[in-house]
Amino acid sequence: SDVAKAFQASWNDFFWDPASLVFDAPIPSTLAIARAAALRGARQIYLTCRHDTYFAETLKQLQRVGAPDACAQNLICKPTVDSDGKPVFTPPYKAQELRRIIESGTTIAFFATEGRRDVSHVQSVLKNVECVLLDHPFERDAPFQVAKNTPILSFTRSTCS
């Protein structure tokens, strides 16, 4: 409908405005698992669906919330469009980047995200990558199927902030 298209256009204008990134609050469970893994010696690589035009703002945000290993070499943002000028769809892009990381000789202990769509896709194409689903309202009721043995971490205590 015209109303839905108008809303989507308005949302996109707001969502992709760099000034709106301040409203993208950290997910406590994401920070908690990153910090716990870092304490055990694991290097953190942040693979985000944010476009590469927001790289600097994203890096500042990670550093502001105290995300471990938050530096330019550990942040991967997706391109806005591919080499054919088409929008980049997040799940295949994340799987491609995970594959590239593995092929570089880096061991991936696990891939953690709040996105069921991302977990579902990674599990379907990278069978040897362990996935952890962070319980969050984002996509909680989405129809994307994740493997039955996928750990789902839910943090309910305020100590995870």
Side-chain angles (χ1 to χ4, degrees):
S1 77
D2 290 340
V3 172
K5 288 178 186 175
F7 174 80
Q8 185 65 45
S10 177
W11 172 252
N12 283 337
D13 288 346
F14 172 80
F15 184 79
W16 292 114
D17 179 349
S20 297
L21 294 179
V22 299
F23 300 111
D24 195 359
I27 300 170
S29 57
T30 303
L31 284 172
I33 197 169
R35 289 174 180 149
L39 286 172
R40 289 162 180 79
R43 173 180 157 218
Q44 310 303 297
I45 299 174
Y46 299 94
L47 175 56
T48 179
C49 69
R50 287 187 181 172
H51 295 157
D52 53 9
T53 54
Y54 304 104
F55 186 91
E57 291 89 350
T58 301
L59 182 57
K60 285 179 198 170
Q61 190 174 33
L62 287 168
Q63 292 169 337
R64 187 175 61 251
V65 300
D69 297 324
C71 64
Q73 86 177 53
N74 292 334
L75 174 60
I76 303 169
C77 294
K78 73 178 184 177
T80 306
V81 294
D82 65 16
S83 58
D84 296 325
K86 296 178 182 169
V88 175
F89 188 53
T90 300
Y93 177 75
K94 286 187 175 181
Q96 168 191 315
E97 286 300 307
L98 290 169
R99 186 176 290 112
R100 184 187 60 76
I101 291 166
I102 293 166
E103 290 171 355
S104 77
T106 299
T107 299
I108 296 177
F110 58 87
F111 169 65
T113 182
E114 76 286 359
R116 290 177 185 277
R117 180 185 337 222
D118 295 343
V119 168
S120 177
H121 186 77
V122 168
Q123 288 176 331
S124 73
V125 298
L126 296 172
K127 305 290 187 202
N128 294 327
V129 173
E130 295 295 328
C131 294
V132 175
L133 183 62
L134 303 171
D135 189 31
H136 187 269
F138 178 70
E139 293 185 344
R140 185 176 287 153
D141 297 322
F144 310 106
Q145 297 297 315
V146 299
K148 290 183 193 252
N149 62 344
T150 303
I152 300 175
L153 298 183
S154 179
F155 292 82
T156 56
R157 296 179 310 195
S158 62
T159 57
C160 295
S161 59

